[in-house]
């Protein structure tokens, strides 16, 4: 294998257009596809209740996760945890030739693949930066697995259902190797490609510590020692999101965590800082497409 990401050229690769704004899964367990060019459909902060991996096949790619911007190059892997707020970080003319593989996978799927022997979700829950660059022989191994998963079909002679069985095996191998490799600090991407944003970090920290309370723009601006209007402008410049929208999404992420734990709907919206149930219900449905009660049922059924 050459490491260019172009093997299996006679086979069809599942692709998603860079303009596609979809941030939800159509498949119940996992999805793998290729994207090319600057992803104009992911310009705003978003999050999901499944895991995401971005692997750069060609060119460059940048992503803002929380208060860190990762500038990725060919061969880099970026691991994004459940409910972690992130967005594409646009850099003019830098990403037009970007080509990458995106993998989405649920916690339930990884639990089934790992069984009692190995926690395959551990690679997503590290406190340190989550971008990795592995030696070429490991990178090509992982790349090969991703490309096989992204194939839309197999040879015509293959029996029905064979690809599904093989894909589960390939997915298992991919995550076993990935978890072992992510445990090696020397494989973390070059820190020079990582930029931290103290302002975003301070705001996130304060919000998470006081989520059940009433939080105003004036209060947040005071925490970072800025005037209200300069703070609003600077925050939007760094994150691409308004303070109000960012705060609402933080409340919803915490609400999802509490719903998964089986808390009552009333306990959830009150402890997450929503002013009333109708506001909580409206915002929750807008993001998740279902009521909080239905979401809790689904999550508890899969645990």
């Amino acid at each position: 294998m050459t490491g260019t990401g172009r093997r299996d050229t006679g086979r069809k690769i599942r692709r998603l257009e860079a303009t596609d704004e979809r941030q939800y899964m159509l498949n119940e367990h996992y999805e793998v596809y290729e994207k090319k060019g600057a992803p104009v459909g992911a310009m705003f902060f978003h999050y999901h209740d499944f895991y995401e991996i971005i692997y750069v096949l060609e060119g460059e790619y940048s992503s803002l996760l929380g208060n860190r911007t990762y500038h990725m190059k060919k061969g880099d892997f970026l691991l994004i945890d459940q409910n972690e707020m992130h967005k594409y970080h646009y850099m003019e003319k830098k990403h037009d030739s970007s080509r990458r593989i995106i993998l989405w996978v649920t916690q339930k799927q990884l639990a089934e693949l790992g069984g009692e022997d190995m926690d395959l979700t551990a690679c997503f829950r590290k406190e340190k930066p989550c971008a990795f660059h592995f030696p070429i022989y490991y990178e090509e191994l992982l790349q090969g697995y991703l490309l096989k998963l992204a194939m839309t079909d197999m040879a015509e002679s293959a029996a029905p259902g064979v690809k599904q069985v093989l894909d589960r095996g390939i997915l298992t191998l991919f995550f076993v190797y990935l978890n072992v490799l992510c445990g090696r600090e020397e494989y973390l991407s070059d820190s020079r490609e990582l930029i931290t944003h103290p302002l975003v970090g301070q705001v996130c920290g304060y919000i998470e510590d006081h989520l059940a309370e009433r939080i105003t723009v004036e209060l947040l601006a005071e925490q970072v020692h800025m005037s209200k209007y300069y703070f609003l402008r600077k925050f939007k410049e760094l994150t691409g999101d308004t303070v109000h929208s960012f705060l609402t999404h933080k409340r919803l992420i915490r609400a999802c965590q509490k719903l998964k734990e089986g808390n009552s709907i009333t306990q959830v919206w009150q402890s997450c800082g929503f002013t009333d149930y109708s506001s909580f219900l409206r915002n929750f449905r807008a993001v998740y497409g279902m009521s909080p009660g239905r979401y809790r049922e689904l999550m508890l059924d899969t645990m």
Side-chain angles (χ1 to χ4, degrees), residues 16 27 133 204 210 240 257 266 271 292:
L16 196 65
N27 188 293
H133 191 99
C204 285
H210 300 83
Q257 293 170 345
T266 301
S271 63

Side-chain angles (χ1 to χ4, degrees), residues 125-255:
R125 299 194 306 273
K126 297 184 178 297
E127 295 181 3
K128 295 184 178 181
C130 48
F132 297 87
H133 191 99
F134 306 119
I136 188 65
Y137 40 94
Y138 288 133
E139 180 202 334
E140 290 187 344
L141 180 70
L142 295 176
Q143 180 194 109
Y145 290 147
L146 287 176
L147 289 173
K148 284 184 173 68
L149 289 168
M151 296 295 173
T152 57
D153 51 24
M154 292 189 63
E156 293 181 2
S157 59
V162 169
K163 177 167 172 54
Q164 287 80 2
V165 175
L166 284 174
D167 280 356
R168 286 178 61 87
I170 293 168
L171 197 64
T172 303
L173 286 170
F174 174 83
F175 275 102
V176 168
Y177 275 106
L178 185 67
N179 273 272
V180 172
L181 293 171
C182 287
R184 307 275 295 273
E185 289 194 17
E186 62 266 35
Y187 296 156
L188 288 170
S189 285
D190 194 329
S191 60
R192 289 173 297 181
E193 304 301 329
L194 168 65
I195 299 175
T196 58
H197 306 288
L199 170 64
V200 181
Q202 285 179 270
V203 171
C204 285
Y206 184 86
I207 288 175
E208 288 170 2
D209 289 342
H210 300 83
L211 207 55
E213 305 169 15
R214 181 172 178 267
I215 301 175
T216 64
V217 171
E218 290 79 5
L219 185 58
L220 291 175
E222 182 181 330
Q223 298 301 312
V224 295
H225 310 293
M226 293 180 178
S227 69
K228 172 183 174 181
Y229 296 106
Y230 180 73
F231 167 63
L232 288 171
R233 185 169 68 252
K234 191 66 177 176
F235 189 86
K236 181 67 179 292
E237 177 186 318
L238 288 172
T239 67
D241 206 0
T242 66
V243 174
H244 175 73
S245 174
F246 186 87
L247 176 57
T248 298
H249 288 307
K250 282 288 188 182
R251 295 192 192 281
L252 288 172
I253 289 172
R254 179 72 60 83

Side-chain angles (χ1 to χ4, degrees), residues 93-107:
K93 298 181 180 179
K94 291 279 275 186
H95 304 146
D96 293 346
S97 61
S98 172
R99 181 169 170 249
R100 55 211 174 274
I101 297 290
I102 310 294
L103 186 155
W104 287 344
V105 62
T106 65
Q107 182 175 1

